[in-house]
Amino acid sequence: MLGKLLDNLYASVSILIDKFVAVIACSDEQVKEECIQNIQRIADSLEQRHDLKFKLLKSQGGYRYSIKLPLIKSIPWSGALHGVPHLYVQVAPFGKKRPFIKFELKGFSPTKRQYYAASLWLHKIIGSHAERILHASNIKITALDIAMDFPLDIAQVAVNLMHAHTSGVYLDIDSSGRIGTIYIGTKKSKIRIVIYDRLANCKAKGLAHSGLPCTRIEMQVKPNCSLDMLSSELLKSHFLERIEVYDLNEIKALEGLHPHTLSVIKTLGLKAAFQSLPKPERRRYRKAFESCRVDLIPNEKVYRELEKKLKRTAALVLGRNDSAFNHSAAKEVRKHFKDNYS
């Protein structure tokens, strides 16, 4: 059933970088002091320019200074920024073991221009030492959320992550008993899969939506590698091949499926169901479920699309010696930045 619905999807695979978190190490006290002074100046300038009645700089997440900064387009300075492109920067940790700078792009899939706009902010914060500090080998990527959206109701799918030791857990169940989110893995896992009702999420956050059913499969990865190694680290790991997606309606229709096993699948997830069975039974069910498996993620196409998205991150360290520095798009971003945030 699902397979027929998905035949037309494979021609245009869509993949998003939904969250991008990185840190920059710095041990030079002079650089640290300049970063603190620069981020304070930026906050003062933005507060005056926009006549803000509250302080932009906050102490948050274990850092003394935290600030939300716009990327090309302006942002609402107060309240949540769901779906609004922005850069979140934290400087000067309270704990000595933490990197001195942490920055994050989230809630949207950054374009090359937005990565470059983030780079301009980082150059402005680091100041005169930026060319020495801000390079690909010194930027460590700590978290990356890779998302794919499909026009399916979440109640239609059952998902398993091969080689994961933690069961999937359904959360956000409403009063009618409807599933909202499936988690496979823990927050500390190197790879964690989150499947959720994208339509319900958009409604809850006031984001634009088509009104049609939509399920998002989000792969939360912790690469813990430098920016220059990010693409090779992700692509060689073949982590997408570990994700198994099944048509839940076809599983329900299988003959000989024990009611208890079906109940576990519906309430705790496929991983939990497999783990609750003795090995012989697990093998039997896995073999039976093969007829219900859906090639929801065409790996070859997705990897190609992911590689394109990852190439854009190079704009974070775009310097004057790079040919793209004088590209029309980069010039436009620099002009906008100079006009609005100099």
Side-chain angles (χ1 to χ4, degrees):
M1 291 183 286
L2 273 186
K4 293 180 180 179
L5 291 174
L6 296 171
D7 284 344
N8 296 326
L9 294 179
Y10 298 154
S12 56
V13 177
S14 176
I15 191 163
L16 309 170
I17 302 296
D18 192 45
K19 181 178 179 180
F20 184 96
V21 185
V23 296
I24 303 174
C26 176
S27 57
D28 191 319
E29 293 301 323
Q30 184 179 354
V31 177
K32 291 180 180 180
E33 184 58 34
E34 185 172 344
C35 287
I36 291 172
Q37 292 176 0
N38 287 338
I39 203 168
Q40 289 173 332
R41 290 193 189 100
I42 290 170
D44 290 342
S45 174
L46 291 173
E47 287 167 11
Q48 293 173 13
R49 182 185 291 267
H50 296 276
D51 192 27
L52 300 179
K53 305 303 180 184
F54 58 91
K55 293 294 183 181
L56 287 180
L57 278 185
K58 297 180 180 179
S59 178
Q60 197 168 353
Y63 282 80
R64 291 181 175 85
Y65 307 101
S66 300
I67 191 170
K68 296 175 183 177
L69 298 168
L71 294 174
I72 304 176
K73 293 183 179 181
S74 61
I75 62 174
W77 296 102
S78 60
L81 299 180
H82 297 307
V84 180
H86 68 282
L87 174 69
Y88 179 55
V89 184
Q90 296 173 285
V91 173
F94 289 110
K96 293 182 179 180
K97 293 184 178 180
R98 294 192 180 196
F100 190 71
I101 299 174
K102 179 181 179 181
F103 66 93
E104 179 176 353
L105 300 96
K106 64 177 181 177
F108 66 103
S109 193
T111 63
K112 190 173 183 179
R113 294 185 183 202
Q114 288 166 338
Y115 279 120
Y116 186 43
S119 173
L120 293 177
W121 278 121
L122 293 172
H123 273 82
K124 195 172 182 67
I125 290 171
I126 299 173
S128 60
H129 304 275
E131 294 300 322
R132 176 167 62 88
I133 300 295
L134 197 60
H135 52 83
S137 61
N138 195 42
I139 298 177
K140 183 180 179 181
I141 314 304
T142 58
L144 192 71
D145 288 2
I146 301 165
M148 297 179 66
D149 292 336
F150 296 94
L152 304 169
D153 191 294
I154 193 170
Q156 290 179 269
V157 298
V159 182
N160 180 48
L161 180 63
M162 294 173 61
H163 313 307
H165 299 293
T166 305
S167 300
V169 179
Y170 289 128
L171 294 178
D172 300 331
I173 298 177
D174 61 25
S175 57
S176 66
R178 179 176 171 78
I179 298 165
T181 308
I182 307 167
Y183 295 91
I184 303 179
T186 67
K187 289 184 178 180
K188 294 182 179 181
S189 301
K190 188 173 179 63
I191 298 176
R192 185 192 197 200
I193 305 300
V194 180
I195 307 101
Y196 62 90
D197 186 333
R198 176 65 175 162
L199 175 60
N201 183 268
C202 288
K203 288 180 177 179
K205 294 180 177 179
L207 301 176
H209 58 82
S210 65
L212 299 174
C214 181
T215 294
R216 171 166 286 191
I217 296 182
E218 190 170 274
M219 294 138 276
Q220 300 178 352
V221 188
K222 291 182 171 59
N224 288 321
C225 67
S226 59
L227 180 61
D228 56 344
M229 297 297 294
L230 179 61
S231 183
S232 60
E233 284 290 323
L234 285 181
L235 296 176
K236 76 179 183 182
S237 68
H238 299 287
F239 65 95
L240 290 173
E241 296 171 11
R242 295 174 54 192
I243 304 171
E244 299 177 326
V245 182
Y246 298 84
D247 185 333
L248 187 53
N249 291 328
E250 290 192 5
I251 288 179
K252 292 176 183 178
L254 287 175
E255 293 183 3
L257 181 61
H258 195 284
H260 171 73
T261 302
L262 180 59
S263 176
V264 174
I265 292 172
K266 291 194 295 184
T267 56
L268 295 177
L270 203 57
K271 172 63 70 175
F274 284 150
Q275 289 181 333
S276 68
L277 296 168
K279 282 188 178 181
E281 283 292 288
R282 192 183 310 168
R283 294 191 191 100
R284 183 174 72 82
Y285 274 117
R286 285 189 67 90
K287 187 175 181 180
F289 288 174
E290 276 303 308
S291 63
C292 309
R293 187 166 173 178
V294 182
D295 291 327
L296 191 61
I297 302 175
N299 290 304
E300 186 178 340
K301 293 181 180 179
V302 172
Y303 276 121
R304 285 203 302 267
E305 186 69 18
L306 177 58
E307 188 172 18
K308 291 179 183 177
K309 289 284 193 291
L310 293 175
K311 282 183 178 179
R312 296 178 180 177
T313 64
L316 278 172
V317 290
L318 186 62
R320 294 180 179 276
N321 295 325
D322 296 295
S323 58
F325 182 83
N326 290 313
H327 189 275
S328 58
K331 288 181 178 179
E332 288 175 13
V333 175
R334 289 202 301 276
K335 183 179 185 306
H336 174 83
F337 197 88
K338 182 178 180 181
D339 293 343
N340 291 276
Y341 311 119
S342 60

